[in-house]
Each structure stands twice: as structure tokens, then as C-alpha cells.
Amino acid sequence: VTMNAPTDVVVAGGGIGGLANAFALASAGFTVQVLERAPEFAEVGAGLQMAPNATRVLAEWGLLDEVLAAGVRPRRLLFKDALDGSELTHLALDEDFTGRYHAPYVVIHRSDLLEILARACERAGVEMVPGCEVHDVVDGPDAAVVRSSLGRHRARLVLVADGLHSRLRARFSDDEPVCSGYVAYRGAVPVERLGRALDPETSSDVVVHVGPGCHLVQYPLRRGEIYNTVAVFRSPAHERGEEDWGGPEELDAAFAWCSPDVREGLTSLWRDRRWPMYDRLPIDNWTDGRVVLTGDAAHPMLQYLAQGACQAIEDAYHLTAELTAAGWSRWAEALKRYEAERTARTAWIQETARTWGDIWHVDGVGRLLRNELFRRRDPRDYTYIDEFYAVRS
Ligand code: FAD
């Protein structure tokens, strides 16, 4: 693909972050091209939780109805102790919650969300280029040139959205993904194949079972037709420094002491695939000339707060707002404002995600204290939750 006039924005990577940005920019009138390495725009994995800080943006973009039609609005976010099965605390995701944050909590299949975003991009006139691997970017005075497996793409701005293992992040930092030593298994099965009836009281809850060095999350997807499970544990083989770690035998051992509900949950997992969990340390430089970072390429985080994709959607909202307000004559200032606005918030969320994981995974007296604090919490206490979900000026 060789072009004479530069595209306004070339987006490198067509995951949830890349497509959210592409859609927002194209809707604001920019010409946008998305280069995606995979042969099609698709997502592996299962469920995705979308908190109101993201669904509020989807509503503003006119996409929330489609997301709600494909997803589920869970009733509660319920925490249980993974060992004894007792309830610890919950967050009601009801009308009070939705009123407070001006948007609902939604869970959706990743591939459904990606499809909704891809269709929206097409409607908005984004040029979608699958099967296109980005190699590098050469910046210049009038345009940047993206070099890919399909040729050269000229752009006034290049948005780097190539995820956790980002190649283009090397321009900004020589850091590497940091392995947490934890690994995730996922599974999504039709409800009728669960082999048991779901308890109607809790069947639409997001249930998080927190245990020593392990946790299990379950919630329904696709209008309740599918049940989604994620199991995460610390690998002893990783701690011993072994190359091959986190295998299915470690999965079973990690949850052996857990409640019957949790052990039952393991039967819904795909055992032939697993996701070792990485993040990176925050960096505060996201812009270099015409090149700018977004999504996991900018701020990969451990998934305990379920905010990675939500933050990519926030990025898209703010970047488009800044570029639109500034206009082309002041694009460099717009990028700097985006960077200032987004780096502080996402760094805080990256760090908090690690701490939140530590709180989930404690054992011994730490676990007893956590459970006691969780049990005493008023379900309507939004002290910490506002920081993530509330409307910010
Ligand atoms: P990615 O999804 O990684 O997309 C990057 C894209 O770039 C890919 O399509 C890739 O093929 C492409 N690419 C890579 N290199 C190149 C190249 N050189 N050229 C062209 N294309 C390239 N977040 C939430 O908000 N809620 C949740 O509930 C949640 N749960 C999670 C559970 C687990 C187990 C995990 C691991 C993560 C979870 N996350 C969640 C985080 C979320 O999945 C990510 O933050 C989000 O998918 C990041 O999107 P992205 O587009 O930035 O990156």
C-alpha cells in the first residue's frame, strides 16, 4: 500500500484499543487506516468486563445499545473466599450504581465487542487493513512513514496500539514485559453444558473467589447463554525457575484446597491454552514527534481490576477530544495534553492492579484480616470505586 497524500492517522494494531481509537478519530472527521497483523480482525479469549468509565464513552459514541444487546448486565460484583466459600462483600450493580456513574456495568464476549467496534469503524469510513505486520516508523517533517509487510503508509500521526508485547514501544522505552509468575486459564461454555443448574440468585453476578495464590472469576455472557470462567494462580514451577511452567497439573494442584464451587468451576476451562500474566512499569513519555502510544502498548496492567480495555477506551476518548479541540495546526500540543492527562491516571491504575492482586492472593493472617475488612464493608460504600468509575472533569 503506497499512498501519496498522508492519512491523518495510521493505527498500528487492530485490537480493542486500536479499533476504539480508530472509530473515535474517524467519527470526528479524521481519515484513519488500521494495520493489523492477524489475517482478520478477531479476539481470542472469552469475557470482558466493562465498567462505567468505559460504557459511558461507548454510550457517547452511540455504541452502548449494541453492546448491551450482545452482553449481560450483571446484578452484583460478588466476592467470596475461595477456601471456605463464604460471601465477603459485594457491589450492587443496580440503578443506584448506574445513576451514580451515568452508565451501566456490562460483561460481553470479546469477539462480540471487537465485531461491534469493527462494524462501527467501517461505518465511520476507517480503512481496515488485516494481514499487515508493522515493522517500524520513520518520522519526518511533513509526515511519518510506517513500514509494513504490505509496503509504506504515510501518516500525519501514527498511533501505536500493538499491545503488551508492542514492538513500536521500543521507541519510547527499552523496558520488557514483567512476568508476574501467575497464569490464567479461561473457558466459555454454553450454560446447558455446565452439567448443573445455575443458582438463579447469583447466576447473573460477576463472582470473584479470592484465595491464597489463586482466584477464580465467573460470569454469564451472550444474554446468559454462555458461562465464562477465568482461573488464575501462582506457578510453583515459575518460582523454581523452570522453563515450562503453569501447566494443567499445576492448575489442579493450585485449587485443590478450594471450595467445591471453585473446583467445579475448573471443569469449564480450556486446558489446552493458557495466558501467563505480564504487565510493565508505567512510563510517562507516550509521544515522540508524530508517534503516540495507546492501550496495552502504553499501559499494560495485570487484569485484577478489569480495566485494561476500559483504559484503552478512555485513551481513545481523550486523544480524539484533544486533537479535535486543537485542530491540525496544534497537533503536537494536543498529543502532549493527552500524554499529561493519561499517563498519571493509567500509572496509578497499573500500580493499583498489582496491589489489588496482592490483596486477593494473601494467605494466613492477611487473609483473615482481609476477609474481616471485606465483611464489614457497607455494600454502598463507594470510597475506592469512585476513583475508577466516576465522571472526571
Ligand atoms: P491487544 O488486544 O493486545 O491488541 C493488539 C493488536 O495489535 C492485536 O490485534 C495484534 O495482533 C496487533 N499487533 C501486534 N503487533 C503488531 C504488528 N507489529 N503489526 C500489526 N499489528 C500488530 N480488560 C478490561 O477492561 N476488562 C476485563 O475484564 C479484562 N479482563 C482480562 C482478562 C485477562 C485474562 C487478560 C489477560 C486481560 C484482561 N483485560 C481486561 C485487559 C484487556 O484484554 C487488554 O487491556 C486489551 O485487550 C488491550 O487492548 P489493545 O488493543 O491495547 O491490545
Side-chain angles (χ1 to χ4, degrees), residues 16 48-56 77 97 104-106 110 295-296 299-315 342 345-346 348-353 356 360 384-390 392:
I16 292 166
L48 193 75
Q49 303 178 51
M50 306 248 81
N53 57 312
T55 57
R56 210 162 45 233
L77 185 54
F97 176 91
Y105 203 98
V106 185
R110 279 164 186 271
D296 274 10
H299 48 68
M301 56 186 71
L302 298 178
Q303 106 295 22
Y304 308 128
L305 293 164
Q307 275 288 321
C310 295
Q311 288 305 311
I313 288 170
E314 278 193 13
D315 289 347
R342 297 297 301 150
R345 173 158 167 86
T346 54
W348 173 73
I349 296 181
Q350 282 173 288
E351 281 159 6
T352 309
W356 193 221
W360 285 14
Y384 300 105
I385 298 152
D386 280 350
E387 297 277 331
F388 296 97
Y389 303 162
R392 296 172 314 122

Side-chain angles (χ1 to χ4, degrees), residues 30-295:
F30 298 101
T31 57
V32 183
Q33 190 182 44
V34 181
L35 312 180
E36 166 56 46
R37 174 174 65 187
E40 55 191 32
F41 289 85
E43 269 269 334
V44 286
L48 193 75
Q49 303 178 51
M50 306 248 81
N53 57 312
T55 57
R56 210 162 45 233
V57 173
L58 295 173
E60 196 162 315
W61 290 347
L63 301 179
L64 183 59
D65 287 343
E66 270 180 89
V67 166
L68 287 172
V72 169
R73 281 187 61 175
R75 198 171 67 103
R76 298 183 300 174
L77 185 54
L78 172 65
F79 287 88
K80 289 180 149 192
D81 184 279
L83 294 185
D84 64 22
S86 63
E87 285 197 20
L88 299 177
T89 186
H90 73 268
L91 180 64
L93 305 172
D94 54 8
E95 293 317 313
D96 268 11
F97 176 91
T98 306
R100 185 179 185 89
Y101 300 124
H102 307 291
Y105 203 98
V106 185
V107 291
I108 185 166
H109 202 290
R110 279 164 186 271
S111 59
D112 293 346
L113 178 64
L114 203 82
E115 243 179 78
I116 290 168
L117 289 172
R119 275 202 306 270
C121 281
E122 268 157 21
R123 285 198 302 270
V126 173
E127 189 190 344
M128 312 276 277
V129 189
C132 178
E133 170 147 16
V134 172
H135 299 316
D136 61 9
V137 180
V138 183
D139 206 353
D142 306 319
V145 175
V146 178
R147 295 193 293 205
S148 80
S149 54
L150 297 183
R152 298 154 70 85
H153 318 252
R154 293 181 70 230
R156 296 165 97 172
L157 293 180
V158 179
L159 192 53
V160 174
D162 55 354
L164 164 72
H165 296 285
S166 174
R167 175 185 295 174
L168 299 179
R169 181 175 161 116
R171 186 179 197 101
F172 301 89
S173 171
D174 61 1
D175 69 345
E176 292 289 331
V178 179
C179 183
S180 68
Y182 279 73
V183 58
Y185 282 70
R186 291 156 146 173
V189 295
V191 167
E192 61 274 11
R193 272 208 259 134
L194 281 178
R196 66 185 165 97
L198 288 174
D199 177 354
E201 266 293 294
T202 56
S203 65
S204 78
D205 290 344
V206 173
V207 188
V208 184
H209 306 261
V210 291
C214 69
H215 73 265
L216 183 101
V217 182
Q218 294 194 295
Y219 51 83
L221 290 173
R222 291 226 175 104
R223 301 164 294 277
E225 295 153 23
I226 296 180
Y227 206 54
N228 179 69
T229 305
V230 186
V232 175
F233 64 92
R234 184 168 50 225
S235 159
H238 179 270
E239 276 169 17
R240 292 193 299 269
E242 290 170 25
E243 283 276 302
D244 183 26
W245 59 276
E249 63 300 331
E250 284 201 326
L251 167 72
D252 294 326
F255 290 92
W257 311 110
C258 289
S259 69
D261 277 0
V262 170
R263 280 182 286 127
E264 157 84 38
L266 301 184
T267 60
S268 307
L269 297 170
W270 302 315
R271 294 172 75 91
D272 56 346
R273 282 209 64 172
R274 57 185 194 257
W275 286 266
M277 299 197 28
Y278 291 85
D279 66 357
R280 294 185 193 244
L281 293 174
I283 55 171
D284 55 14
N285 56 319
W286 288 10
T287 66
D288 175 24
R290 296 173 182 275
V291 188
V292 56
L293 289 172
T294 186

